[in-house]
């Protein structure tokens, strides 16, 4: 009986440690740009820190970049890494700036289970800042919708 009780407790312990509760390895990945929370807070506004460093989400339709149609580059607000080109942008109607393609190598992806199911989360490959999520309901040619928090981006227009 004692062995059965031990086996039951082991099964219970391991079943409670599901993948939905595990954090991604992204949090432990070394990035080229690393700073303490105090350094990030000194550089970023409260909203920027909440989104980029705490994986928050800005309110839909609150970013002026959502309706920006100028030619240029979208950079990471934390480290100025180029992330998206204006020609990749489209109006998804979601309330967040959306792109069908990222600048390859500058955006990292991880799996987030915060809502109880798997979503593909996007991070700046240089500083690890949270950008948003990517979904498979975008336009051709990729079929992707990179749904990005505008507060995580800096726009630089082409001259």
């Amino acid at each position: 009986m004692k062995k059965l009780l031990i086996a039951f407790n082991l099964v219970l312990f391991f079943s409670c440690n599901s993948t939905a509760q595990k954090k991604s390895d992204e949090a432990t990945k070394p990035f080229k740009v690393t700073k303490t929370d105090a350094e990030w807070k000194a550089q970023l506004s409260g909203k920027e820190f909440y989104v980029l460093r705490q994986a928050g989400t800005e309110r839909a339709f609150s970013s002026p970049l959502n309706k920006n149609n100028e030619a240029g580059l979208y950079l990471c607000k934390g480290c100025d890494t180029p992330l998206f080109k204006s020609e990749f942008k489209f109006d998804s109607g979601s309330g967040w700036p959306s792109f069908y393609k990222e600048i390859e190598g500058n955006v990292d992806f991880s799996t987030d289970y915060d809502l109880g199911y798997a979503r593909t989360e996007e991070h700046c490959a240089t500083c690890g800042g949270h950008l948003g999520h990517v979904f498979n309901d975008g336009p051709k040619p990729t079929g992707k919708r990179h749904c990005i928090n505008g507060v995580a981006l800096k726009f630089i227009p082409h001259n």
Side-chain angles (χ1 to χ4, degrees):
M1 183 66 166
K2 191 174 184 178
K3 287 183 183 178
L4 183 61
L5 187 58
I6 290 171
F8 175 76
N9 283 334
L10 282 173
V11 168
L12 183 63
F13 172 77
F14 285 110
S15 68
C16 289
N17 192 16
S18 73
T19 57
Q21 295 170 344
K22 291 182 182 176
K23 283 290 180 188
S24 164
D25 290 338
E26 195 68 37
T28 59
K29 178 182 175 182
F31 293 100
K32 292 177 192 169
V33 173
T34 57
K35 298 180 182 187
T36 65
D37 278 353
E39 290 171 318
W40 284 119
K41 285 180 180 178
Q43 174 187 333
L44 303 169
S45 72
K47 282 183 184 180
E48 292 165 352
F49 182 83
Y50 170 67
V51 170
L52 284 163
R53 308 316 310 168
Q54 297 179 317
T57 302
E58 70 185 354
R59 201 175 79 248
F61 301 100
S62 65
S63 173
L65 294 179
N66 187 39
K67 295 293 185 184
N68 180 33
N69 295 316
E70 287 184 68
L73 276 177
Y74 293 85
L75 313 178
C76 174
K77 192 67 139 300
C79 68
D80 290 337
T81 296
L83 302 171
F84 302 96
K85 295 179 181 180
S86 59
E87 54 262 35
F88 303 158
K89 191 172 187 288
F90 70 99
D91 185 1
S92 68
S94 67
W96 290 276
S98 297
F99 305 86
Y100 65 81
K101 179 179 166 184
E102 78 282 6
I103 295 175
E104 219 167 298
N106 292 356
V107 176
D108 278 343
F109 303 91
S110 64
T111 304
D112 138 10
Y113 295 95
D114 290 347
L115 298 179
Y117 60 91
R119 296 185 300 169
T120 303
E121 186 174 356
E122 299 189 56
H123 306 270
C124 172
T126 304
C127 72
H130 169 77
L131 303 172
H133 294 85
V134 63
F135 303 98
N136 292 319
D137 60 1
K140 290 181 180 181
T142 64
K144 302 290 184 189
R145 174 174 53 97
H146 297 262
C147 189
I148 307 299
N149 290 285
V151 74
L153 301 173
K154 178 194 294 186
F155 179 73
I156 305 296
H158 290 318
N159 293 332

